[in-house]
Amino acid sequence: MVTPTTAPELAEPHLRGLLASIGLDVEYVRGSGDTLYYRDTDGAEIPVLDLVGGYGSLVFGHNHPRLVERARELLEQQVPVHAQFSYHPYANELAHELNTVLRRELGVDEPYHALFGNSGAEAVEIAMKHAELDRVVRVGALRARVAETWAAVQASAPAVPADVTERLELPDTATLDDVVAAAARLNEESFTRAPVFLALEGGFHGKLAGSVQLTHNPGYRMPFSALAAQARFVPAAPGATAAAADAERAEVIVPEVVDGVLRLTVERSPVVAALFVEPVQGEGGIRVLDRTVAAEIRSVADEAGFPVVVDEVQSGMGRTGRFFAAAHSGLAGDYVLLAKGIGGGVAKSSVTLIRGSRYQGDFELVHSSTFAKDAFSVHIGLEVLRMLEEDGGAAYARAAERGAALRAELEAVRAEFPDVVSDVRGEGLMLGVEFADLTASPDPVLAENAAHGLIGYVLAGHLLRRHAVRVFPTASAPHTLRAEPSIYLTDEAITQFGSALRELCGLLRKEDGAALLPV
């Protein structure tokens, strides 16, 4: 399955060695629909059913003819990839069409502005930076207003009662000037609190210096924990979001004068920059956000004043049967992130949508990206969106129907092997099959690979070699295999996957780990 070479491996050699050890070091030479092809030793193409789907990128499969033709047209037209700092009307067109879908699916009644990038991780970084800029602006406005209020109160020279000096831990002899200075010191502590991002446990938001701080898996995050903004992780459970927001509460002291006497009140100062949530956690094990938890997230964020960032990088673009997976739970984000599928499998692009009432126009001057908003990728994005929306949204209906058919097959496998398959979950064509924990298996191959987080890749290598089925585990839940095929997934492919899983489950039931390894 591998083209031999005598040249030393310089392109990620450690990963190459790992792939070879579990039989995943395959060079694919062509992709079409839900099929990838490699060449055997005689040069003949060998088909492989691809259920990885570019980690959710290939809603229409590999090299869809319409998208390939559109790409060819754009290249032949010599559309500019490099026309930075100029007007891009096609980007405005895509933003408007995305807003139309937002209004229909999530009921939002204000426009969302669009910032373009190249990848999902960049969309996350854009959201983090913009949210922090917005928080700083809000802190600055609060600081100025509170200072004006204190100045006005000081000028009116109200009486200072004992409860005010006690609250500020001042002696009874403290003057109004002492009170003003003490309140200013306490307020400054709140104003200068470092920002905190909240993110759900099990979430994955990228591996860049900033975005990795929001990725729950400590193996990805901890080596770089000192580099960037700090996050607090919130269980996806009722009451957890409110508790996390309260734990990060910071208040400033605001004065008022009642009948010539000084009274103190408090206002909340922005500390939480944003809360990040995936409607369906991709790398966290294909876990669907509970509708009750979604409602609480929205309510708590509104009360506390921080924005909700809905990361649709893997779940969006129609894969779940709706354009936005958040539509299933009703969670309308203040930021919505799109990538992967918006490139149609032929372009690299992302869009960060930001609610107009939170948008900071100056951000456009402090953040930029060389390849963002280029004519090629944006026009491909427009074509993908139109393919999803045409014929009354037939693509969404097909995603839901094909997802239901695939899920039925997976549930049938689970029913046959309840001791091996512990769960089947997901939405539409974003499904996960969770296997029982193998870390305590008496088989050393199974136990050792499970303990090192590699068991899912061992299972994937067996499925590839034995059944020509390409499937991968989720990155932070290695006992869960994901299936994210295109909307054109056939019944024959579903049957092939089901048969492959049954054979695999039989080996796991017998605890025959050696049979899973390359010969």
Side-chain angles (χ1 to χ4, degrees), residues 40-63:
D40 65 13
T41 55
D42 296 325
E45 284 190 341
I46 307 299
V48 171
L49 171 61
D50 179 24
L51 298 175
V52 177
Y55 298 120
S57 301
L58 301 173
V59 177
F60 295 108
H62 293 276
N63 294 309

Side-chain angles (χ1 to χ4, degrees), residues 59-60 318 321 387-400 429 487-488:
V59 177
F60 295 108
M387 289 170 67
L388 289 168
E389 289 283 297
E390 64 190 16
D391 298 328
Y396 307 130
R398 185 174 180 88
L429 286 168
I487 63 172
Y488 303 113

Side-chain angles (χ1 to χ4, degrees), residues 37-81:
Y37 298 85
Y38 69 90
R39 296 190 187 280
D40 65 13
T41 55
D42 296 325
E45 284 190 341
I46 307 299
V48 171
L49 171 61
D50 179 24
L51 298 175
V52 177
Y55 298 120
S57 301
L58 301 173
V59 177
F60 295 108
H62 293 276
N63 294 309
H64 188 282
R66 179 167 162 181
L67 292 171
V68 169
E69 179 59 28
R70 183 65 179 128
R72 183 179 292 111
E73 291 173 355
L74 293 168
L75 292 174
E76 289 176 350
Q77 293 166 12
Q78 297 182 329
V79 296
V81 172

Side-chain angles (χ1 to χ4, degrees), residues 112-280:
Y112 281 59
H113 301 298
L115 296 168
F116 290 79
N118 307 294
S119 68
E122 186 176 356
V124 171
E125 297 271 336
I126 288 171
M128 292 179 71
K129 288 178 63 179
H130 185 280
E132 172 56 5
L133 177 63
D134 182 49
R135 190 193 71 86
V136 168
V137 169
R138 287 184 286 125
V139 169
L142 177 61
R143 184 200 294 266
R145 180 167 57 80
V146 171
E148 289 176 2
T149 304
W150 272 107
V153 166
Q154 194 170 15
S156 68
V160 180
D163 63 326
V164 168
T165 55
E166 289 175 7
R167 181 172 178 178
L168 297 176
E169 299 182 351
L170 294 172
D172 293 341
T173 57
T175 66
L176 178 60
D177 288 344
D178 295 331
V179 168
V180 172
R185 287 193 298 272
L186 293 173
N187 285 349
E188 191 64 16
E189 292 178 7
S190 292
F191 288 138
T192 57
R193 280 273 300 272
V196 171
F197 291 91
L198 301 181
L200 292 194
E201 291 182 356
F204 181 96
H205 300 285
K207 295 180 181 177
L208 299 183
S211 60
V212 76
Q213 306 303 326
L214 309 179
T215 292
H216 187 223
N217 187 329
Y220 300 139
R221 174 172 46 87
M222 292 306 294
F224 314 104
S225 60
L227 287 182
Q230 297 302 299
R232 306 286 185 268
F233 293 98
V234 183
T241 304
D246 284 343
E248 300 300 335
R249 178 183 289 271
E251 295 177 334
V252 294
I253 301 169
V254 183
E256 62 178 354
V257 178
V258 180
D259 297 330
V261 178
L262 178 64
R263 301 296 181 194
L264 300 181
T265 60
V266 296
E267 287 191 33
R268 195 165 188 159
S269 180
V271 174
V272 175
L275 184 152
F276 280 73
V277 56
E278 296 165 281
V280 182

